[in-house]
Amino acid sequence: MTIKNVVFDLGGVLIDWNPRYLYKSVFNDTERMEYFINNIVTSEWNSQMDKGKPFAEAIRELTAEHPEFSKEIAMYHAGWPQMIKGEIKEGVDLLNEVKNSQKFLIFALTNWSAETFPLAYKKFPFLADFEGIVVSGEEKMIKPDKGIFLTLLERYHLNPEECLFIDDNLNNVNTAKSRGMSAVHFKDPKKACAEVKKILKI
């Protein structure tokens, strides 16, 4: 079946987000910073906000568990804009190429807090180009949960067999495939972009 819709992940494909961009200016000790990111403000903890938990609540709970890092934990929300370095050139170039071909509708499916997504939307004009964006924090569920893929398909009346999904997380790619979508793992940007262009014939 012909691909008619291209669905982009945002963080790791179009937007370069990493808490290290903030905390490298907070910690003088790289080893201590890595300990903090890998053991305190973990990706699992961050996913709570992606799933809809308010930053204030998550920060309060984590601070109670790790009071020795209370200052650094508090910065996770206030300093969040500094975690964004900018756009990922290869991904945005691909987005523009897909858009300019005028052959496809473009959508986004992202794990992102509903509290911080408006900041990203304001910062990156290309986000206004999408036909629709499904944000996990607004839906109270995150990739790779199958439900959020179903939300995308149902909300925009998409046939999964007509969709190509692009994500840097392999678990998300595998879920997309299990829902009947074509999918590309955006691990090596150059290779992934070439694969997408081959599939779309652009």
Side-chain angles (χ1 to χ4, degrees):
M1 192 170 285
T2 304
I3 300 295
K4 297 180 180 178
N5 314 291
V6 182
V7 184
F8 287 83
D9 173 36
L10 297 182
V13 175
L14 301 178
I15 296 171
D16 185 2
W17 176 91
N18 193 319
R20 289 170 181 81
Y21 296 141
L22 165 66
Y23 286 109
K24 68 183 179 183
S25 63
V26 175
F27 289 90
N28 294 321
D29 183 341
T30 300
E31 191 174 332
R32 187 167 167 79
M33 178 191 75
E34 289 297 331
Y35 174 85
F36 177 73
I37 290 173
N38 293 318
N39 296 279
I40 311 298
V41 291
T42 62
S43 57
E44 290 78 16
W45 178 73
N46 181 74
S47 69
Q48 295 180 75
M49 281 82 83
D50 285 351
K51 203 171 183 177
K53 178 177 266 190
F55 270 87
E57 182 182 342
I59 287 172
R60 185 170 61 249
E61 292 173 356
L62 193 63
T63 300
E65 293 177 31
H66 303 281
E68 72 276 18
F69 286 109
S70 59
K71 185 184 85 170
E72 292 84 358
I73 294 170
M75 296 176 75
Y76 201 89
H77 190 199
W80 185 89
Q82 292 171 251
M83 297 181 190
I84 291 183
K85 187 176 184 180
E87 63 181 43
I88 297 172
K89 185 181 186 303
E90 295 91 343
V92 174
D93 285 348
L94 176 64
L95 170 67
N96 288 330
E97 198 163 343
V98 172
K99 180 184 70 174
N100 292 335
S101 74
Q102 298 185 330
K103 296 178 181 178
F104 312 95
L105 297 179
I106 54 173
F107 298 87
L109 177 59
T110 182
N111 283 356
W112 208 296
S113 163
E115 289 181 75
T116 55
F117 188 71
L119 301 175
Y121 196 88
K122 188 176 180 180
K123 183 178 178 67
F124 298 102
F126 63 78
L127 292 178
D129 293 337
F130 290 99
E131 293 289 328
I133 302 176
V134 174
V135 179
S136 65
E138 295 173 358
E139 308 302 329
K140 305 292 193 287
M141 55 183 163
I142 59 175
K143 296 176 294 182
D145 294 352
K146 290 184 178 181
I148 196 166
F149 287 85
L150 192 58
T151 295
L152 170 79
L153 297 172
E154 289 184 343
R155 181 168 299 163
Y156 300 108
H157 310 290
L158 305 179
N159 180 338
E161 294 180 0
E162 297 176 340
C163 296
L164 173 64
F165 177 68
I166 306 163
D167 199 298
D168 65 315
N169 184 302
L170 187 57
N171 290 331
N172 300 340
V173 168
N174 290 336
T175 298
K177 289 179 178 177
S178 77
R179 304 307 288 173
M181 305 167 75
S182 298
V184 171
H185 186 200
F186 199 86
K187 183 178 182 181
D188 179 320
K190 189 174 181 180
K191 287 183 180 178
C193 290
E195 185 178 353
V196 170
K197 290 178 187 180
K198 185 177 180 181
I199 292 170
L200 299 180
K201 298 180 174 63
I202 58 172

